[in-house]
Amino acid sequence: SDIKSGSVTFPRYVRVNKLKATTEEIVKVLQKELGKGDNKKENSKDIYVDPHVPDLLVLSPKSSIAWHELDIVKEGKIILQDKSSCFSALALAHGSASSVEGDVIDACAAPGNKTSHVASLLYDQKKGSKSNKKCKVLGFDRSSARLTILKNRMSELAPLVGDDMATVRKSKFPVAICPTHQDFLKADPSDKMFKDVQSILLDPSCSGSGIVNQPDRLGESSKEKDNERIESLSNFQLLALEHAMSFSKVDRIVYSTCSVHQRENEDVVAAAMQEANEEIEDESNVWTLVAPVGLKDWKRRGIKNDDLTEDQSNCLIRVNGLDGDETNGFFVSYFERKKVVDANKG
Ligand code: SAM
């Protein structure tokens, strides 16, 4: 597909970091900013809450705000994050009606937009519940340079960041982010560090073919090279998803990419499910695709491939920035491990 990048303009999306601020507080600041200078003439003072992502504010692309001078940016109270990239954490935290239990691994975390979003949504859930159980969001990256970026960014965005478990335990804050230098493929599911992990967010390296509002990220490479690259990415993505499915206590997984290629999306999902559920015995736990509750109103769904039923592809979320979705192309799948009882028995 010939995707022309850099040609599309989307609204300005502003995610409220619930770890540090409330929506009301942020709306007040932004309204004041929009009241200054040229914005008055532009008639672009409207701010609304995104209909799909409740902690995302939407401003006109015409609204000109000197974002990097704003205190709420410097203090990490807001994140300028594109809408579709908020779908991964939303699907993990609001995939089902029940709230997330236990720790979370963000398997490919840097620079950490989704890590901090997961932490923000979990904090929101914990504030409203009676349980005072703490949880950790383990943000992995295999690149030490990228891990440094992750660590620095997380210290700006979260009140509790670190790998010193004694400090994490002592703190009253209920959600800790732990940036960890780790190749996810080499993370041992039986390591006691992961004993409380019940959810995994997997947003691995991908072709980025969905990004259409930035200068062409694929560069000048030939079609053949692109195909080779997509095949190699798809192989890695499948290994990573299969590895996520091998954590025996994990019962929720989100797999997402900012690619629009079926090889990186539906094909990976179908192959991983086949592999993971190959030898299903009665009463065994089976990885199942579930339509994320928090995205039930999103219309664009997965592409049907030979290995997915219609119901399964309808569980998948697709975003196409070139077809009116007003945000970059994206793909999200949400899995739950569920007990199935053999229908032939009983
Ligand atoms: N989820 C991130 C966010 O929203 O800010 C973006 C992740 S980016 C698409 C992919 C990241 O995965 C890169 O930082 C890369 O270094 C890391 N990565 C690639 N392979 C990995 C592996 N095997 N284990 C851990 N991290 C990996």
Side-chain angles (χ1 to χ4, degrees), residues 81 85 106-115 140-143 146-147 150 182-186 201-206 236 240 258:
Q81 183 173 349
S85 83
D106 183 352
C108 296
N113 280 339
K114 297 180 187 84
T115 322
F140 291 174
D141 213 280
R142 73 167 172 199
S143 143
R146 305 267 299 168
L147 187 78
L150 177 69
Q182 171 77 56
D183 180 337
F184 177 61
L185 296 180
K186 294 187 183 143
L201 192 157
L202 174 62
D203 182 56
S205 305
C206 74
F236 160 68
C258 56

Side-chain angles (χ1 to χ4, degrees), residues 125-270:
Q125 283 182 356
K126 291 196 182 282
K127 268 195 312 191
S129 87
K130 288 203 183 81
S131 141
N132 54 5
K133 259 196 112 185
K134 277 190 206 155
C135 77
K136 297 193 285 285
V137 180
L138 303 159
F140 291 174
D141 213 280
R142 73 167 172 199
S143 143
S144 54
R146 305 267 299 168
L147 187 78
T148 305
I149 295 170
L150 177 69
K151 276 187 180 165
N152 293 341
R153 187 68 179 132
M154 293 306 97
S155 336
E156 290 167 1
L157 299 180
L160 184 57
V161 180
D163 42 21
D164 172 9
M165 287 308 140
T167 311
V168 167
R169 270 192 292 271
K170 257 187 256 156
S171 166
K172 286 208 171 71
F173 200 76
V175 183
I177 296 181
C178 307
T180 311
H181 192 201
Q182 171 77 56
D183 180 337
F184 177 61
L185 296 180
K186 294 187 183 143
D188 174 2
S190 66
D191 189 322
K192 69 177 192 315
M193 190 181 152
F194 311 138
K195 69 178 174 19
D196 296 325
V197 172
Q198 290 185 36
S199 310
I200 296 179
L201 192 157
L202 174 62
D203 182 56
S205 305
C206 74
S207 62
S209 56
I211 311 281
V212 289
N213 69 342
Q214 287 172 18
D216 199 339
R217 303 188 355 153
L218 286 177
E220 303 277 297
S221 59
S222 69
K223 262 256 136 47
E224 196 175 319
K225 269 215 181 116
D226 283 351
N227 288 341
E228 266 174 39
R229 181 164 166 259
I230 288 162
E231 276 315 298
S232 127
L233 284 165
S234 175
N235 291 338
F236 160 68
Q237 290 153 352
L238 177 58
L239 282 180
L241 183 52
E242 284 172 351
H243 192 55
M245 289 176 164
S246 76
F247 282 66
S248 59
K249 282 188 194 148
V250 167
D251 57 16
R252 296 183 185 214
I253 295 174
V254 165
Y255 169 73
S256 63
T257 72
C258 56
S259 164
V260 291
H261 298 308
Q262 193 176 323
R263 285 299 292 143
E264 296 180 87
N265 298 329
E266 287 85 355
D267 290 0
V268 171
V269 164

